[in-house]
Amino acid sequence: MIGIINRALGRDSKEKKPDQPSTKLVNLALQGGGAHGAFTWGVLDFLLEDGRIEIDGITGASAGAVNAVLLADGLARGGREEARKRLADFWRAASLGGNLPDMQRKVIDRLFTFMPLEDSPMGIWFKAMSRYLSPYDMNPLNINPLKDLIERFVDFEALRKADAPQIFISATNVHTGRLRIFAREKLTAEMVAASACLPLLFRAVEIDGVPYWDGGYLGNPPIFPLFGRTRTEDVLLVQINPLVRNAMPTSTSEIMSRLNEITFNSPLMGELRAIEFVGRLIDEGRLPRGAGAGKYRRINMHRIAMAGSAKTLNAESRLNTDYDFFELLRTNGRRAARRFLDEHFNDIGERGTVDLRSEVQAEWA
């Protein structure tokens, strides 16, 4: 009877290795995705509460970059509980009922909009205005309250000096069309704002005279910066843009939503393809494995995806900044994180849990 109870509670000692460590080191890769970033909040909240995962490095784009700096700032200030509080405070403030000034309220709503829908009130307004006015016309003073909002929650000066996880934030260089990575040692609120800069809604964020747009166009999120700057080969991707949708999009909004998902997943698929290829060459003995010069890391990819929840969500839900909706996504994120740890905690440090080869293969006629 005791054995049955233990198995039901996930405490069957036979399923664990005798030398199984109580904590494991992972890197986090956090996608952007508008208001759906609240799902990532839930994932992080559970991982912090559970306590078995130690975070070595974090990479993020757009809303994923915002979650990344909130997480790292909280860990640097007061550990896991402070990180949970900082994330919760931000998402509460970002919600429709949050206590933001009017200007910041408008900015955070636009950040979470991600892609205006043609048949939504905002989409109709945006389509009409964009025929005549760009963000440079509508915001001639280049006011960016998002920077002030981020600084309200994150002490960047302390974060740059802290013994905190490595952070890598992506942005797109408007001039060169190349990916720019901002690391923790030089990280500023402007860089996070650049990572979340949707060009049809905001003026490009200039850093040292160079204009930047949303990082999701070229790295959503970028994974390669983790390879040479962190200790672990395990990467946990928190994915909120579905790779697969079985339903055929037919309406304008559905088509735009699916195009948006494919576009913002494209750079990620390229990196996963490269990770699978290098891992295969290492397994075949054709590349040397290691962290030094001339050696390659064999990355163990893991994923917590919003796949189950996303079946009932669409592009319009990215407009939803109601706190009850955020709480729903947070709950779904916590459940997904719990399932992942229940199923794969023992795999961390041993093997990847994503079948990259089947996932990145091209479809041949």
Side-chain angles (χ1 to χ4, degrees):
M1 178 63 71
I2 294 176
I4 294 174
I5 295 175
N6 283 336
R7 284 192 294 274
L9 296 176
R11 297 197 302 238
D12 191 347
S13 60
K14 294 182 180 179
E15 296 180 359
K16 298 182 179 180
K17 297 180 180 180
D19 59 347
Q20 184 70 40
S22 58
T23 61
K24 291 194 174 185
L25 198 62
V26 300
N27 292 317
L28 296 177
L30 311 180
Q31 269 201 331
H36 293 177
F39 174 86
T40 301
W41 165 34
V43 171
L44 299 177
D45 186 62
F46 184 82
L47 295 179
L48 292 166
E49 180 185 274
D50 181 85
R52 287 181 288 169
I53 296 299
E54 181 183 349
I55 300 167
D56 194 13
I58 315 168
T59 179
S62 198
V66 174
N67 276 322
V69 296
L70 291 167
L71 171 61
D73 180 63
L75 290 173
R77 292 196 195 201
R80 296 175 183 274
E81 287 306 312
E82 181 61 28
R84 294 183 68 198
K85 179 179 184 301
R86 200 142 293 273
L87 284 159
D89 288 347
F90 174 84
W91 283 96
R92 177 43 136 174
S95 70
L96 189 60
N99 58 345
L100 295 181
D102 289 343
M103 182 63 75
Q104 288 186 353
R105 166 84 272 137
K106 293 176 182 178
V107 167
I108 204 68
D109 283 345
R110 288 189 177 188
L111 168 65
F112 287 151
T113 296
F114 200 65
M115 177 66 75
L117 303 180
E118 292 190 5
D119 57 354
S120 70
M122 181 176 180
I124 295 171
W125 173 87
F126 177 82
K127 185 175 181 180
M129 294 296 291
S130 62
R131 290 177 179 175
Y132 308 101
L133 300 174
S134 77
Y136 293 81
D137 299 314
M138 293 185 285
N139 186 9
L141 299 179
N142 195 21
I143 298 172
N144 192 338
L146 178 59
K147 171 181 172 292
D148 298 331
L149 176 62
I150 296 299
E151 287 180 330
R152 170 181 163 184
F153 288 92
V154 178
D155 183 347
F156 283 92
E157 182 177 357
L159 183 59
R160 289 190 292 268
K161 299 176 181 177
D163 183 18
Q166 297 287 336
I167 309 174
F168 306 98
I169 301 302
S170 67
T172 299
N173 185 317
V174 179
H175 286 163
T176 66
R178 295 172 62 184
L179 181 67
R180 175 67 187 270
I181 302 296
F182 299 110
R184 191 198 70 199
E185 294 79 4
K186 298 182 179 180
L187 199 60
T188 65
E190 288 88 352
M191 294 173 183
V192 180
S195 183
C197 179
L198 294 169
L200 295 180
L201 296 177
F202 299 105
R203 294 180 64 166
V205 177
E206 289 197 8
I207 300 172
D208 297 329
V210 179
Y212 292 96
W213 284 338
D214 193 294
Y217 292 111
L218 296 177
N220 191 25
I223 299 176
F224 72 90
L226 298 166
F227 300 164
R229 300 280 298 275
T230 60
R231 295 165 287 170
T232 179
E233 293 183 335
D234 286 82
V235 176
L236 174 55
L237 169 66
V238 182
Q239 187 165 359
I240 55 181
N241 291 323
L243 287 175
V244 178
R245 282 193 184 274
N246 294 322
M248 176 63 195
T250 55
S251 69
T252 301
S253 62
E254 290 172 345
I255 293 170
M256 290 296 295
S257 175
R258 188 58 183 148
L259 283 173
N260 184 54
E261 290 171 349
I262 293 171
T263 299
F264 277 82
N265 273 329
S266 178
L268 172 64
M269 291 299 293
E271 283 207 75
L272 294 181
R273 189 174 294 109
I275 289 171
E276 189 277 330
F277 181 64
V278 170
R280 185 152 37 94
L281 293 181
I282 290 174
D283 292 344
E284 294 171 357
R286 298 164 65 184
L287 285 179
R289 181 177 182 177
K295 296 185 177 180
Y296 297 83
R297 309 294 294 272
R298 193 197 184 290
I299 302 302
N300 298 322
M301 283 301 305
H302 312 278
R303 176 168 54 209
I304 297 176
M306 203 174 68
S309 306
K311 292 179 181 178
T312 59
L313 301 176
N314 52 36
E316 188 171 2
S317 63
R318 290 193 176 96
L319 306 175
N320 193 341
T321 57
D322 183 82
Y323 188 69
D324 289 340
F325 179 66
F326 286 171
E327 276 283 292
L328 172 64
L329 289 176
R330 171 180 174 269
T331 299
N332 288 339
R334 284 179 55 85
R335 288 173 178 169
R338 177 185 286 112
R339 286 194 300 269
F340 171 79
L341 290 182
D342 286 346
E343 296 173 8
H344 298 302
F345 178 76
N346 291 346
D347 295 317
I348 299 174
E350 301 292 332
R351 65 181 188 89
T353 54
V354 178
D355 185 359
L356 291 180
R357 189 164 190 176
S358 64
E359 194 162 289
V360 302
Q361 281 183 331
E363 297 178 358
W364 292 79

